Amino acid sequence: MNEFDTTGRDHPVPEPEDVAFPGRITLNVDARDVTRRIFRVRETIPVPAPGVFTLLFPEWLPGYHAPQAPIELFAGLTVRGGGETLSWKRHSTKVHAFHVDVPEGVRQVEACFQFLSPTDSAQGRVVVGAEMLSLQWNTVLLYPAGYYSRRIEVDARLTLPDGWEQACALAVTGREDGALAYETAPLDVLVDSPVFAGRNHKRVALDDAEAVHLAIFADRPEQIALTPEKFAPHRGVVEQAEKLFGAPPFDRYEVLFALSDEIGSIGVEHHRSCEAVTLPSYFTEWDETFSRRDTIPHEFIHAWNGKHRRGEDSWTPSFDRPIRNSLMWVYEGQTQYWDRVLCARSGLWTPEWAMGAMALTAATHAARAGSRWRPMSDTTRDPIIAARATLPWASWQRSEDYYSEGALVWLDVDTRIRELSGDTRSLDDFARGFFAAEEAGTCTTRTYVFDEVVAALEALAPFDWVGFFRDRIEGRHTGAPLEGLERGGVRLVYRAEPSAYWVNSEKVAGNVNLMFSLGLTVGNDGKLQEVLWEGPAFEAGLTTGATILEVADEAFAPDVLRNAVAKGEDVRLRVRVGTREREVAIGWSEGHRYPHLEPIQGARPRLAEILAPRD
């Protein structure tokens, strides 16, 4: 029997329906081959009826806001049923769909394949190292088309190298033939529950109820240098988040935290966990890496804003349905605003460091020309348009500005509520009323639309919020939305010396940021990382990717370039683009120009009040 169309036409992919899948998938993943970085998968899937049975590789992934499934790393598919190897055919355009020809009498099929995880960063994000791995279940499973993902149950099993420990939001129920067995979970919950595993591991509770845990994995055991001084602010994140947002929308939560230069950096939110991979020196060089401490607060906030509450068009019933991102300026923009606030309230940052981060954001958008032609609302399409690829002219093209510019808009909202209410209400009240779980521990997703955001704000402070957001989100404008800073009691100014946050961010990034003087950022190796649209370097004809060889006839070094700018005269460079070298003179004679937030004399210090911890 062969149900496949031989005319070249595709068999249709069934639409998802809200009905239970008849049976339970058994998923076995062997992750022991860390040398070749190959995950080997064996999956048993019940078959409802003979004929064409469509299996899907998850495509549209929450947290990525885009179809970023690495289907190119999927290989070796064989499908067996009834003791025979069955034929399959991939859909010609929906390349994540595989049609399997199932004969009469076959009640289940066994699919075997490999996920060939990247062995080099040029192939994608590296997820397996010698001492740890990051497993996202969506990369190692196929699921039947035609069902809501929450209506498909999966029993997952994972085999790890000897001596490795794991952490996951799903409970381990036992071991079977050397494999860890996880609790049965709906497909959407499984995909939302990644695993970190490794040889060097420490897990500590971040709250008295022991519902939230920090699970640390490291390339080397000495990197897990978690002293009481470093532990306290991470515990403070949980405490201050619950004071801000109210009842937690989870019964348990795992902060999956890797310290590695082998595993690719990441920060992704999930309902009962988050994935964060950061610098190996995060704990061992605690004071020298503080600008990278905002990842955990950001992803933890998403348990409330993004997972429990989500814009209606960002929720889909199945991983083959497109995600739409029209309210990302709430989902991500308000989260970025709150992560700066929680960094200060928890003690991960000093208030001065938080203000340094805000100054950098404000100055960045004050200098970016892209807002003249492209409204912030259009950048919510960027996860699909660019998939976070490096852009030649980021300040003109704009890339996901709903994060950082969105944060400035929400500071404007916060200070405006405070002013309108005589400082009796604030965005804290909005957060608690809008994002809190109906009952602590309930793991549900409640969607919302724009009108609900407006109604919640109007209940706190009557105002033309519709007109406000139409201007800020849909409008085109020159410069940044800085009203929130000024209403917060500070103004954006530029000085010849950088802030402590600026110095640290340069050190961690390994670059020299001269965006507000020469209009460029250059790596410590001399390679230009960004050139500001219409800035001095732009006018001199420099582009991203060029390499600075010399500065005023002296071999390039970061301090050589800084010293040249400080002289207050045109900066002469010798640069290489491809195989060609040329002389360039950047017309800039105003010396260094670094952003700071300066108190406005006599103004209420609302921003300082916002950053203060809650009792």
Side-chain angles (χ1 to χ4, degrees):
M1 176 181 180
N2 192 322
E3 295 284 346
F4 291 138
D5 189 328
T6 58
T7 65
R9 293 175 296 189
D10 284 306
H11 193 280
V13 176
E15 297 287 324
E17 297 181 16
D18 193 4
V19 296
F21 176 66
R24 184 179 293 172
I25 295 173
T26 300
L27 173 66
N28 293 277
V29 180
D30 187 337
R32 290 176 292 183
D33 191 352
V34 297
T35 300
R36 287 178 289 252
R37 305 182 186 185
I38 298 171
F39 295 148
R40 291 179 169 83
V41 182
R42 178 170 50 84
E43 191 174 4
T44 303
I45 308 169
V47 176
V52 176
F53 183 43
T54 302
L55 297 174
L56 301 173
F57 187 78
E59 179 183 5
W60 289 82
L61 302 174
Y64 290 88
H65 320 309
Q68 291 205 11
I71 186 66
E72 72 279 5
L73 302 175
F74 174 97
L77 176 63
T78 60
V79 184
R80 294 185 58 81
E84 298 181 357
T85 299
L86 307 181
S87 58
W88 59 266
K89 185 177 182 180
R90 192 195 301 256
H91 194 283
S92 60
T93 58
K94 299 176 181 178
V95 295
H96 299 74
F98 300 85
H99 302 302
V100 181
D101 188 18
V102 179
E104 291 281 354
V106 173
R107 298 290 179 263
Q108 65 180 30
V109 296
E110 182 181 81
C112 294
F113 59 90
Q114 303 87 42
F115 177 67
L116 308 177
S117 80
T119 58
D120 183 87
S121 59
Q123 304 157 6
R125 178 177 165 259
V126 174
V127 299
V128 179
E131 300 294 318
M132 75 171 76
L133 62 82
S134 165
L135 173 65
Q136 297 175 325
W137 294 106
N138 55 278
T139 65
V140 290
L141 65 82
L142 296 171
Y143 68 96
Y147 304 88
Y148 280 21
S149 58
R150 69 187 182 203
R151 304 302 298 275
I152 303 171
E153 290 196 329
V154 184
D155 286 330
R157 310 284 183 266
L158 175 62
T159 305
L160 294 169
D162 291 341
W164 283 32
E165 298 292 335
Q166 67 85 50
C168 177
L170 296 178
V172 174
T173 58
R175 287 183 179 268
E176 298 178 7
D177 300 324
L180 296 170
Y182 293 90
E183 62 182 315
T184 301
L187 178 64
D188 62 333
V189 174
L190 176 69
V191 168
D192 200 42
S193 306
V195 178
F196 274 20
R199 195 178 308 279
N200 309 307
H201 171 242
K202 184 180 182 68
R203 183 172 180 264
V204 293
L206 292 177
D207 62 337
D208 291 339
E210 298 190 3
V212 182
H213 286 84
L214 175 63
I216 308 169
F217 295 84
D219 290 334
R220 297 184 298 279
E222 62 270 18
Q223 293 167 342
I224 309 177
L226 185 62
T227 63
E229 172 202 9
K230 301 164 190 174
F231 172 75
H234 292 91
R235 184 181 174 94
V237 169
V238 176
E239 178 184 352
Q240 290 294 323
E242 293 191 10
K243 288 180 178 180
L244 173 61
F245 294 107
F250 49 77
D251 54 349
R252 57 186 182 271
Y253 193 97
E254 293 286 325
V255 178
L256 305 176
F257 196 49
L259 316 175
S260 180
D261 53 13
E262 293 187 25
I263 302 295
S265 178
I266 194 174
V268 177
E269 69 274 11
H270 303 281
H271 205 130
R272 297 193 299 176
S273 65
C274 65
E275 302 170 82
V277 180
T278 191
L279 305 168
S281 58
Y282 181 86
F283 289 122
T284 55
E285 297 179 11
W286 179 248
D287 293 330
E288 288 75 38
T289 60
F290 68 79
S291 58
R292 284 288 293 271
R293 296 182 199 165
D294 57 333
T295 302
I296 289 176
H298 186 99
E299 307 308 339
F300 188 59
I301 289 165
H302 274 318
W304 286 268
N305 180 10
K307 304 308 290 187
H308 174 54
R309 299 303 311 274
R310 191 182 313 172
E312 186 176 68
D313 62 2
S314 288
W315 179 88
T316 60
S318 180
F319 299 113
D320 61 326
R321 301 291 91 182
I323 292 171
R324 293 172 175 83
N325 298 314
S326 66
L327 290 164
M328 278 292 108
W329 51 274
V330 183
Y331 183 133
E332 293 290 5
Q334 192 175 144
T335 293
Q336 182 148 321
Y337 172 63
W338 285 128
D339 79 43
R340 269 62 182 145
V341 173
L342 281 192
C343 275
R345 291 184 184 178
S346 67
L348 280 174
W349 285 352
T350 67
E352 290 73 25
W353 295 345
M355 289 191 184
M358 291 179 173
L360 172 56
T361 298
T364 296
H365 289 284
R368 282 190 170 181
S371 59
R372 300 203 308 259
W373 73 273
R374 190 181 186 199
M376 192 218 295
S377 60
D378 193 56
T379 74
T380 65
R381 279 76 174 177
D382 283 341
I384 301 170
I385 294 170
R388 297 184 175 169
T390 302
L391 301 174
W393 300 104
S395 58
W396 181 240
Q397 293 167 274
R398 308 192 79 180
S399 180
E400 298 187 49
D401 282 0
Y402 55 83
Y403 276 91
S404 51
E405 189 175 322
L408 293 175
V409 169
W410 283 108
L411 173 60
D412 191 341
V413 173
D414 194 353
T415 56
R416 193 176 295 270
I417 292 172
R418 291 166 185 263
E419 182 180 68
L420 290 169
S421 68
D423 290 289
T424 62
R425 299 291 183 89
S426 71
L427 197 64
D428 289 55
D429 298 294
F430 171 87
R432 193 174 187 88
F434 199 78
F435 295 118
E438 294 77 4
E439 182 179 345
T442 55
C443 300
T444 58
T445 295
R446 292 174 50 224
T447 62
Y448 59 85
V449 296
F450 173 73
D451 288 347
E452 292 176 76
V453 177
V454 168
L457 291 171
E458 288 182 342
L460 290 172
F463 182 68
D464 180 16
W465 293 110
V466 172
F468 172 85
F469 286 122
R470 280 178 179 164
D471 176 62
R472 301 300 192 276
I473 308 302
E474 300 290 344
R476 296 166 179 81
H477 51 80
T478 299
L482 302 181
E483 295 90 339
L485 288 172
E486 294 169 4
R487 204 178 294 109
V490 296
R491 63 168 60 94
L492 177 65
V493 297
Y494 297 88
R495 298 172 184 160
E497 296 299 323
S499 67
Y501 178 86
W502 185 285
V503 172
N504 189 258
S505 63
E506 279 191 334
K507 178 179 179 180
V508 169
N511 65 22
V512 181
N513 188 342
L514 300 170
M515 192 59 65
F516 310 113
S517 53
L518 300 188
L520 59 81
T521 299
V522 59
N524 289 343
D525 60 355
K527 188 172 183 179
L528 294 184
Q529 298 174 343
E530 185 178 353
V531 174
L532 181 69
W533 186 264
E534 299 176 341
F538 175 96
E539 297 299 336
L542 290 175
T543 61
T544 299
T547 299
I548 301 175
L549 303 176
E550 296 179 354
V551 180
D553 301 322
E554 188 174 351
F556 171 82
D559 283 343
V560 170
L561 181 58
R562 290 190 183 100
N563 292 339
V565 175
K567 290 179 180 178
E569 55 189 42
D570 289 359
V571 177
R572 293 188 300 107
L573 305 175
R574 184 168 186 80
V575 301
R576 181 177 63 233
V577 181
T579 59
R580 297 188 177 188
E581 298 183 8
R582 64 188 179 96
E583 303 288 337
V584 174
I586 301 179
W588 178 258
S589 59
E590 298 180 33
H592 283 293
R593 192 166 177 265
Y594 296 106
H596 294 261
L597 297 184
E598 177 181 84
I600 299 173
Q601 187 173 4
R604 179 167 180 142
R606 289 192 180 98
L607 183 54
E609 294 169 1
I610 289 168
L611 298 177
R614 297 300 178 254
D615 296 328

